[in-house]
Structure formats: structure tokens, C-alpha cells
Amino acid sequence: MIVVGAGPAGATTAYHLARSGLDVLLLEKTAFPREKVCGDGLTPRATKQLVAMGIDISEEAGWLRNKGLRIIGGGHRLQLPWPELASYPDYGLVRRRDDFDEQLARQAEKAGARLHERCNVTEPIVDERTGHLTGVHAKLGEEKTPVTFHAPIVVAADGNSTRLSLKMGLHRREDRPMGVAVRTYFTSPRHDDDYLESWLELWDRRGAEDRLLPGYGWIFGMGDGTSNVGLGVLNTSAAFKELDWREVLKAWCASMPEEWGYTPENMTGPIRGAALPMAFNRQPHYTRGLLLVGDAGGLVNPFNGEGIAYAMESGAIAAETIVQAHARATRAQRELALRRYPKVLKDTYGGYYTMGRAFVKLIGNPKVMKLATERGLSHPVLMRFTLKMLANLTDPTGGDAMDRIINGLTKVTPRA
């Protein structure tokens, strides 16, 4: 099998495929370690996937644990621990993406996947008779040597840009939300904070009047002397295209207490930005020998902008689907098994993502966001429910009343 892209989605897919005994080629266009724009904070959902891959997530191995989420907004400050569930651990993790992705890719290698770094996939190879993908053309190494790889199944794990999907005719759905994340790092005394911090009111204070923007800010202590400070913004507002979000981040940081150190002289790297493709914004997730995982398939959670957990989960689901298809005796039977993959994704996330799209439309209105923040944060029980909903952390069976309500809503909501 060929997996294009060695980020969390691709590395997880390759790991589980290799562990099942399949011959896996993992192609990464850059070389590790390499930078990715991310908040670096992992919820219990992502932590569970790391455990399933056998990765050492101890503090001695360089991981910083977090206890929950601190929410600030509307004059309130609420600290919510991660829920205690049978299905997920009660802690999250923090790790820089330039190191995190390499950890996953090396784990896939240990499982037996063959990793090619600096391998830039340029074109799919399609059988003219059947229309099915049979491999990829690529350029390998610093010399950009042309190479060809063949396989009966290819996994697109090449991120939001997913050139492979585009060349197979799979384009982004304009009716699905898109976000933008921008972030940087500061040397800060807050580096060892054991809670992820989310600011639900994002103010632009640079004009004559203060302006409430659609999105949220975050502060994640990295445990290494620095804080990851960033913001996520939705495309559901006119402000999405008209503002320079790097400048908005600078202005937001300037409004922070001076002792936190979020000042230009303490910045340890440039401000970087990336798109957040949400709620199945590219479909179908399987067609003609190509499966889409992670950002390539738009699996970012529209409620909170989380992508890593869903990248890894979709990678595991894709791998299981491929393993089962590989064991079928005929091509027709293999195709039948592969066509199940989009159905599993919709059964798993479809209703939840549909609710998320409605949520995105609501909070895209700053007035609604302001009202929800002012009223909601004064009710801790409501916010515990909201945390479970936004982070998608429930027990599917045997959970409490909150779990049953959230699970019931996701089941009755259409799975588009």
C-alpha cells in the first residue's frame, strides 16, 4: 500500500497497516523534523490514539500532561478538568509538532512501514481501462529523481492542499466551514501550565472601536520554557477575508499582562498560519482506489478546530478497512469492502459534524458568541456539558446523563 503524507493521519495509517503485515510505503515530501502550524495541545481523544500506537507518552519521554481546559470570557474564568470516562484517559498532552510528527512516523517505521522522506508525489497513475488508481509518480531526494511506485490502494494523507485528491477530481465543498489558525511561540513563565487555555472572546482593539471577532484564542504551555499562543478564526464572517490575522494575533498578545512575556522580543519564531478544513469538506472519502484521511478529507472538528485526533482516528479506520479488503478473494469483493470506508466515517462523525456546522454558523455572529459567553460561563454544569460536546468526549455506552443526551443528538442528526 502507498500512503502519501507522513503527518499524524498518514503515519497512523501506515503504522496500523504495517502492524497487520501489509507492505507499506510512506511518502513524505519534506524531511523530519519539520514544522507544522498547530496549537500543539492534544485532548484525551488524541492521547488514546497515541496509546494505541504504543508510543511512550511519559514525562520522561518529553510529553507534558494537561488536566483539562481553562475557559476565559465574558468576565468569567472557568477551569474544567477533562471528564472521567471509560473510553478515554482523563488527561491530554502537549508536544511541539516538529517533534510530534516525527515520533509517529518513526513508530510507523518500527512497525515495518518503509518511509521515504523528501519524496514529493506529483501525479497519480490511473489505469485508463478501469479508471482506478494504480500508483503514483514522485520526485525523490534533493536531486528530485523521478520515481514511480505502484500499489492497488493509495491513501491521501497530504493535508488540506491534498494535490493527489485534486488530481483525482475531488474538490473542496464550498458549503462546509473552513477555519484559519495562526500561532507563534514566546519565552514565558507560563510554560509549565497544566491546563490548556481557551479565550472565547477575541477582541480587535486597534481601531476607534473595539471589535469582537469570530473565533477564539489559545495559550498552551509547552513545558520547555515557551508558550504556544495562537488564534483560530472561522470563515463564517465578513471579517474572515478582510483582516490580517497575524496582525490581530500581535494586537491580542499586546493586550496580555506584561509579566506573561508575550512581547515581540520574547517571540522565538515567526507567526505562521494554516487552513483548518472542517466537517467532511472533501468527499467522497473513497473513490477508485484512493482513500482520504485527516485534513485531506476535511476531518477537523468544527466545534473546536481539533484535527490531530480525527486524523489519527480516520487513519486507524482506513487501515482496518484496507486490511479487510486485502483479504478478499476477488476484485469485486475488495471494492465492496473499500466502499464501506465513507459509510463508517459518516456513522462515526456525520451527525456530530452536522451539529458542528450549525454551531459554526451561530458563533460566526459575534453578538451570539458574546451572549453565549456571558451567560454560559456563569453555569459550571452547563459548561461541563459544553466541554463534553465541543471536545467530543463521551462514553458511547454506560455513560452519564450528559453522555446520553450528546450521543442521542448525534444519532438523530442527519449525517451529511
Side-chain angles (χ1 to χ4, degrees):
M1 309 300 160
I2 294 172
V3 180
V4 180
T12 304
T13 307
Y15 169 83
H16 288 292
L17 287 172
R19 285 272 294 176
S20 297
L22 299 186
D23 185 14
V24 186
L25 200 58
L26 181 58
L27 309 180
E28 167 59 38
K29 68 179 179 181
T30 60
F32 291 109
R34 52 105 166 100
E35 183 68 280
K36 282 290 184 71
V37 175
C38 185
D40 299 326
L42 306 174
T43 69
R45 284 193 80 99
T47 303
K48 179 179 180 177
Q49 293 301 314
L50 290 170
V51 172
M53 287 181 66
I55 290 177
D56 181 0
I57 55 171
S58 66
E59 292 184 16
E60 292 76 17
W63 299 84
L64 179 68
R65 294 195 177 190
N66 60 73
K67 299 176 181 177
L69 183 66
R70 184 183 305 116
I71 303 174
I72 297 171
H76 301 281
R77 182 179 184 273
L78 193 61
Q79 198 156 277
L80 299 170
W82 296 120
E84 293 189 8
L85 301 168
S87 303
Y88 300 97
D90 63 350
Y91 60 90
L93 297 165
V94 173
R95 186 120 188 181
R96 290 180 72 112
R97 278 295 299 273
D98 58 2
D99 183 49
F100 175 82
D101 286 15
E102 183 170 14
Q103 291 258 329
L104 270 60
R106 300 304 177 203
Q107 193 74 354
E109 275 193 303
K110 290 178 185 176
R114 291 179 290 145
L115 172 65
H116 285 333
E117 299 175 58
R118 291 195 175 92
C119 185
N120 187 17
V121 172
T122 55
E123 294 283 344
I125 302 172
V126 179
D127 187 315
E128 293 183 1
R129 182 176 57 85
T130 64
H132 268 63
L133 199 59
T134 62
V136 295
H137 293 297
K139 293 181 180 179
L140 183 60
E142 294 184 2
E143 299 80 15
K144 298 182 179 180
T145 305
V147 291
T148 300
F149 301 109
H150 289 280
I153 297 171
V154 178
V155 177
D158 47 348
N160 174 59
S161 60
T162 186
R163 288 189 297 169
L164 187 61
S165 302
L166 290 173
K167 291 188 176 182
M168 289 291 289
L170 302 179
H171 297 278
R172 183 168 71 87
R173 290 184 57 162
E174 299 296 334
D175 62 338
R176 300 298 160 101
M178 178 70 77
V180 167
V182 294
R183 68 98 179 96
T184 190
Y185 296 94
F186 294 95
T187 301
S188 171
R190 298 196 62 196
H191 73 96
D192 57 354
D193 192 349
D194 56 5
Y195 272 75
L196 303 180
E197 190 166 284
S198 179
W199 291 60
L200 299 188
E201 287 182 331
L202 188 61
W203 289 97
D204 179 14
R205 305 187 187 277
R206 296 170 300 156
E209 294 185 11
D210 292 349
R211 183 180 184 185
L212 186 59
L213 301 170
Y216 70 97
W218 71 72
I219 299 173
F220 298 164
M222 300 303 298
D224 62 356
T226 66
S227 293
N228 179 317
V229 183
L231 55 87
V233 187
L234 298 165
N235 68 347
T236 50
S237 163
F240 181 77
K241 292 183 178 180
E242 69 182 57
L243 290 177
D244 182 335
W245 296 106
R246 288 172 173 79
E247 292 302 317
V248 173
L249 177 58
K250 290 178 184 178
W252 182 56
C253 289
S255 71
M256 298 291 181
E258 186 177 351
E259 61 268 21
W260 292 0
Y262 303 146
T263 56
E265 58 269 22
N266 290 332
M267 194 181 295
T268 63
I271 296 176
R272 300 183 187 274
L276 302 175
M278 298 175 173
F280 294 161
N281 80 334
R282 185 173 280 104
Q283 298 183 38
H285 291 105
Y286 170 73
T287 182
R288 297 177 291 150
L290 180 71
L291 291 88
L292 276 58
V293 294
D295 285 7
L299 271 96
V300 173
N301 182 347
F303 279 105
N304 65 358
E306 180 182 14
I308 289 177
Y310 302 94
M312 298 181 72
E313 289 176 9
S314 63
I317 294 169
E320 181 184 1
T321 303
I322 292 168
V323 168
Q324 292 298 326
H326 184 70
R328 302 292 175 90
T330 67
R331 178 169 183 165
Q333 280 293 308
R334 288 193 291 273
E335 191 67 15
L336 181 64
L338 291 168
R339 284 201 297 267
R340 181 174 172 268
Y341 174 63
K343 297 176 184 177
V344 174
L345 289 184
K346 287 193 176 182
D347 285 346
T348 305
Y349 307 117
Y352 179 77
Y353 281 0
T354 298
M355 289 194 299
R357 298 202 312 272
F359 174 79
V360 162
K361 289 181 181 178
L362 281 174
I363 67 168
N365 184 332
K367 292 181 180 178
V368 173
M369 184 66 167
K370 188 173 188 295
L371 180 65
T373 301
E374 291 174 348
R375 302 288 174 85
L377 285 177
S378 61
H379 299 277
V381 174
L382 174 61
M383 291 310 298
R384 282 197 291 272
F385 176 87
T386 303
L387 175 65
K388 283 193 168 191
M389 171 73 85
L390 267 59
N392 199 9
L393 291 172
T394 63
D395 276 324
T397 57
D400 62 15
M402 292 182 184
D403 292 358
R404 292 193 293 274
I405 292 170
I406 294 169
N407 295 339
L409 287 171
T410 60
K411 286 179 181 177
V412 301
T413 304
R415 302 168 185 180

